[in-house]
Amino acid sequence: MTWTLVLEHLFIVLAASILSIAAGLPLGILAYLFPRAKAIILRTVDILQTIPALALLGMIMVVLDPGKVTVITGITLYSLLPIVRNTCLGLQEVDPGVKEAARGMGMSKAYRTLLVEFPLAFPTVFTGIRIAVVNAIGTAVFAAFVGGGGLGSIINRGIRIQDMALILSGTGALMVISVVLDLLMGWFEKNTRKQGGAKSMWIPAAAILLAFILLLPYGLSSVGEGELLLYDGDYSETQIMHHMVKMLVEDRTDWTVTIQDQMSQVNNFKALIGDGHTCDMMISYDGSLLTTFLQLDPADVPEGVSIYDYANQTAGEQYGLLLLEKLGFDNTYAIAVTRDTAEKYPLETVSDLIPLAGGLVFGAEHEFFTQEGSMKFGPFTEFYGLKFKDKMSVDVSLKYAAAEKGSFDVTEVYATDGLNRKAGLKVLKDDKNFFPDYNGAFLIREDTLIRFPGLDEVLNILAGQISNEDMVEMTYQVDVEKRTVDNVAREFLTARDLLKA
């Protein structure tokens, strides 16, 4: 964990807090002034609060690109409820005698609301702001799923590789931030109640704005002329390959490579395409490009044409993307059984599961049970004629922990994941060849190759250099032996004499 992640997290929280205050206070005042609008406003913010945070971010991403803007927008919407409700409630609870006196002095409705009633209601209003800010600290963890940065990446990684120290460090940092901010806001709240909100209500506002300005460098990124942009992945394999890109390119050229916040493969692809793209390239796989990104099926590939060539051609026609040469490893889906299951039954191939499936439980991450793409649970079991006793959907971060604890008997894994070795899983041979190839290759925008002439030649130095065994070993070193991605990537490149410096 680094200070950069902590400060990034704070930036997201403060940016969302400022926006939610700017939107929530007027909405709360409108709900107070206009009884007919009150029900609509309060019902709307209530509904927003009931939407799961990750689902809300997904809906926002339909309109906005992945990144901090999406996260800040989502947290802003999520934070409206306590601010709007407390603003409306605080104004309603102002002494009726004060309201009547202001009215008797000939003040307009807007004047007395803003300059008489609101300062008196501010302690209650500030309580709503305090709740919203503290809640935002925890909600901002979901930024890691959409390239927003922050401490969520530390916690997610810790859960996936079952590193309690990593989980506790991320969680502890969140707790410290929450406690410190809550104590500061509690002091301000107590102060406003003693002095009357009129004079002191601008102090916390000024403090939040000042902190936001100081944290701007951690929320804004400036891109140089010769700067190649990538996103960090949410898996060690992606991170290793992207850090190899940085090392190779910066070693052999004058260009700078910037690796941005963590992002999933699907979101990374979305960030790669279109005129508003926020990255230039990513590590991908020909099978993923065909089935997940292009929404095609291996059956759509013309006879005599490889998945790699067909996916490459189609991606170029539809999105202006190009797959560089294959890197050598094939990270295809694989079916594996737990250590206990392997010891109990003589299993070597997926077909060996057919007579046993009725007594076995199949467990995998949520994505494997979706309808997105054809390489999923339904088509797989239908193809092999497998009828499992039950199926279990688990979060991808918890899958290996669940496998080690015996929560299920059979699972789906990636062939080059070092955690397969740690969990003691036995990978079965796909004897009927259901799963297509997932050859690793860099997916890059064609206009990026124009901006960086010769980049493809530099990256293709890695073509055919990395075997499945190499990748398993590297991911094992990162995920299990807790070595840094940079050290593992550099060690591999150095061993192959691929770095000049």
Side-chain angles (χ1 to χ4, degrees):
M1 186 178 68
T2 65
W3 278 107
T4 299
L5 290 177
V6 174
L7 295 173
E8 268 189 2
H9 201 93
L10 273 172
F11 170 82
I12 293 169
V13 170
L14 291 178
S17 298
I18 290 170
L19 289 175
S20 60
I21 292 168
L25 294 183
L27 286 173
I29 293 171
L30 287 174
Y32 166 69
L33 292 176
F34 304 100
R36 290 185 179 180
K38 178 180 176 180
I40 298 174
I41 294 172
L42 294 183
R43 182 62 59 85
T44 300
V45 295
D46 280 345
I47 292 173
L48 287 172
Q49 190 73 18
T50 63
I51 302 173
L54 196 55
L56 183 61
L57 291 178
M59 288 186 282
I60 295 170
M61 277 179 50
V62 175
V63 180
L64 301 175
D65 292 324
K68 287 185 174 61
V69 174
T70 293
V71 177
I72 291 169
T73 303
I75 298 176
T76 298
L77 296 175
Y78 223 59
S79 301
L80 288 175
L81 178 61
I83 297 175
V84 173
R85 279 198 171 277
N86 275 47
T87 300
C88 183
L89 179 63
L91 290 169
Q92 288 174 342
E93 291 182 340
V94 172
D95 189 340
V98 174
K99 296 180 183 180
E100 189 60 35
R103 188 180 296 109
M105 294 174 65
M107 294 182 184
S108 66
K109 192 173 185 179
Y111 186 90
R112 66 175 182 265
T113 299
L114 295 176
L115 298 182
V116 177
E117 297 175 25
F118 185 79
L120 294 174
F122 186 72
T124 302
V125 174
F126 190 73
T127 299
I129 294 173
R130 180 180 175 184
I131 294 170
V133 172
V134 173
N135 286 343
I137 295 169
T139 307
V141 167
F142 291 102
F145 292 94
V146 294
L151 292 168
S153 58
I154 294 290
I155 296 172
N156 291 340
R157 175 169 172 75
I159 293 172
R160 181 174 183 270
I161 66 175
Q162 301 174 60
D163 187 335
M164 184 59 71
L166 211 55
I167 297 171
L168 290 177
S169 66
T171 305
L174 287 177
M175 292 172 65
V176 170
I177 293 171
S178 298
V179 170
V180 170
L181 286 181
D182 190 52
L183 288 174
L184 285 173
M185 290 186 292
W187 181 83
F188 278 126
E189 183 181 347
K190 184 178 180 181
N191 209 38
T192 56
R193 290 186 186 278
K194 283 183 177 180
Q195 299 180 10
K199 293 182 179 179
S200 56
M201 67 182 185
W202 299 109
I203 298 175
I208 291 175
L209 284 172
L210 177 61
F212 173 75
I213 292 170
L214 293 174
L215 291 170
L216 270 177
Y218 297 93
L220 303 177
S221 58
S222 57
V223 181
E225 185 68 25
E227 193 166 357
L228 186 70
L229 295 178
L230 294 84
Y231 278 104
D232 218 4
D234 53 356
Y235 285 95
S236 298
E237 184 168 307
T238 305
Q239 295 171 356
I240 289 168
M241 294 313 304
H242 285 185
H243 283 251
M244 282 190 187
V245 169
K246 180 177 176 65
M247 292 173 188
L248 266 181
V249 172
E250 293 185 348
D251 177 68
R252 293 174 175 264
T253 73
D254 294 329
W255 302 319
T256 300
V257 178
T258 296
I259 299 178
Q260 304 172 99
D261 300 313
Q262 281 192 18
M263 187 176 288
S264 67
Q265 279 269 306
V266 172
N267 289 332
N268 199 344
F269 181 77
K270 292 177 181 177
L272 181 65
I273 60 178
D275 294 334
H277 65 95
T278 54
C279 69
D280 299 305
M281 61 172 291
M282 63 182 286
I283 180 66
S284 189
Y285 310 87
D286 51 4
S288 293
L289 180 58
L290 180 78
T291 61
T292 302
F293 302 151
L294 299 176
Q295 297 291 300
L296 297 172
D297 190 272
D300 297 319
V301 180
E303 189 174 349
V305 179
S306 68
I307 288 177
Y308 172 88
D309 289 333
Y310 185 69
N312 203 2
Q313 176 187 340
T314 307
E317 293 170 351
Q318 292 188 15
Y319 298 110
L321 302 177
L322 175 69
L323 278 174
L324 299 185
E325 293 182 29
K326 299 175 186 177
L327 295 164
F329 57 94
D330 177 12
N331 191 12
T332 185
Y333 280 123
I335 301 302
V337 294
T338 61
R339 192 194 311 271
D340 290 344
T341 306
E343 292 174 353
K344 188 175 181 180
Y345 304 106
L347 299 169
E348 298 296 333
T349 68
V350 176
S351 292
D352 291 339
L353 289 171
I354 296 174
L356 305 171
L360 303 176
V361 176
F362 188 99
E365 65 267 26
H366 307 308
E367 183 185 353
F368 194 66
F369 294 103
T370 66
Q371 300 302 314
E372 186 183 60
S374 58
M375 300 298 106
K376 303 297 179 180
F377 179 78
F380 160 68
T381 52
E382 183 178 347
F383 179 85
Y384 266 100
L386 292 166
K387 298 184 183 301
F388 288 101
K389 175 184 177 182
D390 198 3
K391 62 181 181 180
M392 175 186 295
S393 178
V394 297
D395 187 87
V396 64
S397 302
L398 301 173
K399 182 172 72 173
Y400 285 98
E404 289 189 74
K405 292 176 181 177
S407 300
F408 44 75
D409 309 297
V410 188
T411 187
E412 154 272 330
V413 298
Y414 297 118
T416 58
D417 197 331
L419 290 176
N420 297 337
R421 185 196 300 178
K422 177 180 182 293
L425 299 177
K426 180 176 182 178
V427 177
L428 304 181
K429 182 181 179 182
D430 181 12
D431 53 306
K432 293 187 178 181
N433 299 313
F434 172 76
F435 295 113
D437 294 333
Y438 281 79
N439 294 296
F442 293 120
L443 183 63
I444 190 166
R445 292 177 60 90
E446 292 177 349
D447 57 10
T448 296
L449 295 178
I450 296 174
R451 287 172 47 223
F452 299 93
L455 176 62
D456 53 342
E457 296 175 9
V458 173
L459 296 177
N460 280 334
I461 291 172
L462 283 171
Q465 292 279 353
I466 309 172
S467 67
N468 275 19
E469 291 72 22
D470 291 331
M471 186 55 73
V472 168
E473 180 61 30
M474 286 191 285
T475 56
Y476 184 85
Q477 288 182 36
V478 173
D479 290 337
V480 181
E481 296 183 355
K482 307 297 189 297
R483 297 188 63 198
T484 67
V485 169
D486 275 334
N487 285 343
V488 170
R490 185 173 295 280
E491 184 177 274
F492 178 86
L493 293 175
T494 302
R496 300 297 173 94
D497 293 323
L498 297 178
L499 294 178
K500 292 181 178 179

